[in-house]
Amino acid sequence: MPRPALYSSSRPARNRTPAAVDATEAAAHAALPADDSAATSAATAAATPQPPRAFKRQLVALWTIVVLLVALLVASAWHNTRSPARKITQDDIDAAVLRTLETTTPPSAAARAVESIGPSVVRVVGYGRSKNGKEEVERGIGTGVVIVDKGVILTNLHVVAGSDRIGITFYDGLETTASITGVQPENDLAVLQAHKVPDDLEAATLRSTQNLRPGDHVVAVGFPFGIGPSASAGVVSGLQREFTSPEGKRQLSNLIQFDAAANPGNSGGPLVTLDGEVVGIVTAILNPTQARTFIGIGFAVPIENAASAVGMPPF
């Protein structure tokens, strides 16, 4: 039975050669499905447009954002469900402070006093000529304390009396000379002016003895036997004491008696409270023997007397 002719739904191409037409028809016959409905479905599928690549990329990006948002929501929910941090209480603070005190050794009160007064303490040496007059020798060594940061120094008169030259060594090691600008023999005091001073020189803080009582802790700072600066601690033993030098050449009154160790070389040094404030100038020790070393009784001139020697107003 002869097959019916098939016709293409598209318009025939122009100027095609007979060979091309035969090839086209042969391809059409070869691709023709056995069933007309299958052919229709294939044609419909071929005619359906496929989504572009850009749209696919946008879809992937959208899903990525959705996943990230879900992850953030889960993390936030987990964080909020955790138990809140415990608040620090006063008991916690007290326990921490107690532990610090138990494991840390703070400096003693005497150490803090020495640290406070240290930058104001100087070594004082009086020089003279030897017997043959050819050499310079030490005639006296003692201590001084800076009371004005321009280089005004208090010391004992017996340390510098009769000296041809006075040498000063400051806390930072600076060495210079000084001149005597005032004396108060009744209190064994001398006022010195240093010829050169450190840039950061600190003056001592002076404190009235009005509230000073026996038993109050004090510290003596100086250069005993030229060694120092050295510190010794003790208490005020008494007030308004009198002292007469072994030679009978000096008689001092209204003195502070203390038991902090003092020896030759401490003369002129500061007697300070545990706050590092100067209440007196160490001037003498009592020892009835010929040793003239400390046996437990020292004397200091009250700072009120010392301040008046400089012309400073009383407290």
Side-chain angles (χ1 to χ4, degrees):
M1 178 178 178
R3 297 182 62 181
L6 295 178
Y7 297 94
S8 173
S9 60
S10 59
R11 298 179 62 183
R14 296 180 180 180
N15 300 325
R16 287 192 300 175
T17 61
V21 172
D22 292 341
T24 302
E25 290 179 354
H29 283 293
L32 182 66
D35 186 44
D36 290 342
S37 61
T40 304
S41 298
T44 303
T48 302
Q50 297 298 321
R53 293 182 179 179
F55 177 76
K56 291 182 178 180
R57 287 196 298 269
Q58 292 176 0
L59 188 61
V60 171
L62 179 61
W63 275 107
T64 302
I65 293 174
V66 171
V67 171
L68 289 176
L69 289 176
V70 171
L72 290 175
L73 289 174
V74 171
S76 177
W78 175 81
H79 178 75
N80 291 333
T81 55
R82 290 190 308 168
S83 58
R86 188 174 66 86
K87 293 183 178 180
I88 298 177
T89 65
Q90 186 62 45
D91 291 339
D92 296 329
I93 297 174
D94 294 341
V97 172
L98 181 59
R99 179 173 179 78
T100 301
L101 293 176
E102 291 175 346
T103 57
T104 304
T105 303
S108 67
R112 292 194 297 269
V114 174
E115 182 179 4
S116 177
I117 194 62
S120 305
V121 178
V122 300
R123 187 173 187 264
V124 181
V125 180
Y127 294 94
R129 291 293 172 180
S130 61
K131 291 182 179 180
N132 59 17
K134 295 181 179 180
E135 298 178 356
E136 186 179 66
V137 296
E138 291 184 1
R139 298 191 57 175
I141 184 170
T143 309
V145 58
V146 178
I147 60 173
V148 180
D149 59 9
K150 294 181 179 180
V152 178
I153 299 168
L154 270 177
T155 188
N156 280 151
L157 179 58
H158 74 263
V159 173
V160 296
S163 299
D164 296 324
R165 184 174 71 90
I166 300 172
I168 300 293
T169 304
F170 287 98
Y171 178 76
D172 64 350
L174 174 66
E175 297 183 2
T176 185
T177 55
S179 302
I180 299 175
T181 59
V183 296
Q184 196 178 77
E186 65 274 21
N187 289 310
D188 189 27
L189 293 172
V191 182
L192 308 179
Q193 175 61 60
H195 298 157
K196 187 187 297 184
V197 299
D199 294 335
D200 57 350
L201 181 61
E202 297 181 19
T205 301
L206 311 183
R207 171 181 167 180
S208 170
T209 61
Q210 181 178 358
N211 296 323
L212 199 63
R213 296 289 183 269
D216 287 346
H217 290 272
V218 288
V219 179
V221 182
F223 292 83
F225 303 107
I227 303 171
S230 301
S232 58
V235 298
V236 173
S237 302
L239 302 170
Q240 298 181 346
R241 300 297 198 230
E242 294 184 354
F243 171 78
T244 302
S245 65
E247 299 85 1
K249 296 180 179 180
R250 290 187 301 150
Q251 185 170 355
L252 306 175
S253 59
N254 191 33
L255 300 175
I256 302 169
Q257 179 187 339
F258 62 91
D259 71 348
N263 285 288
N266 278 108
S267 296
L271 184 70
V272 302
T273 65
L274 294 185
D275 294 326
E277 298 172 336
V278 181
V279 290
I281 300 297
V282 177
T283 190
I285 57 176
L286 178 62
N287 188 336
T289 71
Q290 295 299 317
R292 295 188 179 181
T293 55
F294 187 70
I295 61 172
I297 300 178
F299 297 103
V301 178
I303 197 62
E304 287 88 345
N305 300 50
S308 65
V310 189
M312 297 176 67
F315 295 95

